[in-house]
Amino acid sequence: MTTIHEVAQAAGVSISTVSYALSGKRPISEKTRRRIEEAAQSLGYQPDAGARMLAGRRTHIFALTEPLRADTHAPTHMAFVLATAVAARRRGYDILLLTDEQTSEGMNRVTASNLVDAILVLDVAPDDERAAIARTMRTPTIFIGIPDDAQGLTCVDLDFEAAGSIAVDRLADAGHERITLLGQTEVAYRKSNFPRRLLHGVEDRALERCVAVDWVTTGTAATDVAAVREAAASALDHGHRAFIVHAVDDVHEALLSVLAERELRVGHDVSIVSAAASFDTSTLSAPIDTIPLIPQQSCELAVELAVRHLEDGPSSTGIHLLPPEYRTAGSVAPPG
């Protein structure tokens, strides 16, 4: 790796002069500055982040604010972190991960220090405090998720409302008049906005289609497999044969195990649609129709919008919804 000493030697100046020229901390003659920059470029020298910040240049770092709470489902969240990091790296940016549960602290910290070129926001809450901060800062901020008040923000996400609507339509079209929705944990509906958006999509379309919906949360702070099994058994005991599952893989397997114990066949005796699944449903013990939530899609678009803002200047804010895709696996059938 080229050092500042080598740049100084190639340019015929002192190390301090190189530092001043690249940081902009002190005035340097245009001729000297050019000679230093040419030497740095020819040697492949990259000044540290602090020098680039002082010179008003990019740090080529994006902050990714992702609060890690006791209820966080790590595999799901890390899938989004990885997808964001890959998308950023492809465009020449690194990721600084901010995991403060008090999300505003990390966001304010990197903004005040000019450490990052843009901020990406994950796990968006209904009344997310980061929304108010984003409206007041100059650092480009892209939300991967949508708070209740998205005024003045740039947001990217799957159209969860549409995903809920599509799931209801498939089951209603098959002739089901009652649906059980196995949803997220109780805390997820308080602290994250995407579960509520899918729930609203399900409830609104069910009302339009004259379909009854029984909504069941899957535990408290963590998925409670026993609670899932009890909810599934109760629904089956009441003759319900249609399920929408908006939850992690453990919830899907708990439902499938109850069906297997009762010798009920998916796609024949019982209908299931997995809505907004962020994991590989092909690993489940039975094929299930799926409306996938693909982290790469929303994260790629978020990074693209951040880079576009930096290269082309501020663009209009707004919500960018990704249309859901329905993948058929033969798990929906008319009620017996």
Side-chain angles (χ1 to χ4, degrees), residues 61-225:
I61 300 172
F62 287 165
L64 179 62
T65 165
E66 161 69 301
L68 295 182
R69 305 184 300 262
D71 61 289
T72 296
H73 184 251
T76 299
H77 286 250
M78 289 311 298
F80 279 87
V81 171
L82 178 60
T84 305
V86 170
R89 186 64 259 163
R90 191 178 296 123
R91 291 164 176 80
Y93 289 84
D94 290 313
I95 289 294
L96 174 64
L97 184 59
L98 307 176
T99 58
D100 314 54
E101 188 166 349
Q102 299 299 320
T103 53
S104 59
E105 294 180 8
M107 200 166 171
N108 284 324
R109 186 170 61 250
V110 297
T111 303
S113 63
N114 293 318
L115 182 60
V116 300
D117 295 329
I119 298 174
L120 306 171
V121 180
L122 279 176
D123 196 11
V124 179
D127 55 349
D128 205 302
E129 61 185 2
R130 294 169 293 181
I133 299 173
R135 294 188 186 99
T136 63
M137 63 175 51
R138 298 179 60 183
T139 306
T141 304
I142 312 296
F143 283 69
I144 305 174
I146 306 171
D148 285 346
D149 181 6
Q151 182 67 34
L153 304 178
T154 301
C155 303
V156 175
D157 210 357
L158 176 71
D159 190 339
F160 281 92
E161 290 87 353
S165 296
I166 292 171
V168 171
D169 280 339
R170 289 297 177 126
L171 294 169
D173 290 345
H176 293 281
E177 297 179 350
R178 193 172 201 97
I179 297 170
T180 298
L181 170 61
L182 295 178
Q184 302 277 318
T185 61
E186 292 177 13
V187 70
Y189 288 93
R190 298 195 306 270
K191 295 190 175 182
S192 298
N193 214 21
F194 70 93
R196 304 198 319 176
R197 289 168 49 213
L198 187 134
L199 174 62
H200 293 159
V202 168
E203 291 178 333
D204 291 348
R205 184 52 60 92
L207 185 62
E208 294 172 3
R209 298 295 304 264
C210 298
V211 172
V213 173
D214 297 298
W215 167 45
V216 182
T217 60
T218 50
T220 52
T223 300
D224 185 342
V225 173

